[in-house]
Amino acid sequence: VYASRSLEASRYLNSYQRELTERFWNDAKALFQESNGGSLPLPPELSLIATSLDDSVGLFHGHTGSIVALAVSGKRDCVVTAARDSTIRVWEARTEACIAKFEIAAVVRRLAVNPKATRLAAVTVAGALVVFDWVTGESFELEPPENAGFASIAFSPDGNWLAAGTTGGAICLWAAESHEERPQLLGHRDRVSCLGFSPDGSLLGSGSWDETARVWDLSTGRLEAEMTMQGRVGDLEFGPDGRRLLVGSYAWRARILDIEDQRQTALETE
């Protein structure tokens, strides 16, 4: 999981390129092997992510089209992929076996896995949000606000909540099991392109095409912090302590926001 997030973040911090360079990939392998004393093989998650950016599947065989979205769940020991062959597949990470497959008509933009259940959520380029259960085979669609579609999704670390950002700037929240909807989080003025929960699940980070990143207190729905970026926000990630937020933009910029004192630190990117 750490490696998959590191590789995903590198795409934003290295000119937002679609393909990993050979130099970066070799460095990533060397760092993993060095951190484990050179005794562990490269995990399937790393091989899948590296090769999927090159329109192939690597160790996980089955897709017949290029992979367009990916999610990894360490707690469920699974990898979920969506491809242009109109399928979503769930893989057991260590055995490389495909344990579930779903047909979906539209191309998938984003994937998320519930860490405490056998459910995954997918947002399509058409703005639909579909939830699948890979054990029961059940699937259902959640309704977006009027005159908007969905653009981003995230499950809380405890698996109790599903958050979805819309093309109109609103953020929707549901109880993951009952699908009961909570009041929307409002403030962004454009598409909510990315979402992320803090490790303890108390905060939600959101990034938008309005060139801002925001942090919300989920117990009150109150805005806790805000940071203006240069360019549309592409991705974000909380630090392990939940006190800092790393944000990357499509303008090749990255900043760290200290949530308590609002201090911002710019990161140099090539």
Side-chain angles (χ1 to χ4, degrees), residues 196-210:
F197 285 87
S198 62
D200 65 1
S202 65
L203 302 174
L204 178 68
S206 60
S208 171
W209 282 11
D210 65 8

Side-chain angles (χ1 to χ4, degrees), residues 166-169 187-194 206-214 229 231-236 247 249-250:
T166 70
T167 55
H188 284 299
R189 300 177 301 280
D190 204 336
R191 174 190 297 265
V192 179
S193 52
C194 53
S206 60
S208 171
W209 282 11
D210 65 8
E211 302 189 4
T212 69
R214 299 178 179 226
M229 295 289 293
R232 295 172 171 177
V233 176
D235 203 6
L236 54 78
V247 182
S249 80
Y250 289 103

Side-chain angles (χ1 to χ4, degrees), residues 78-93:
C78 69
V79 176
V80 181
T81 54
R84 291 188 181 275
D85 59 7
S86 300
T87 67
I88 296 173
R89 295 174 186 250
V90 182
W91 313 83
E92 192 173 66

Side-chain angles (χ1 to χ4, degrees), residues 110-127:
R110 295 273 188 169
L111 286 170
V113 181
N114 189 322
K116 295 294 182 65
T118 57
R119 287 185 173 180
L120 64 95
V123 167
T124 72
V125 294

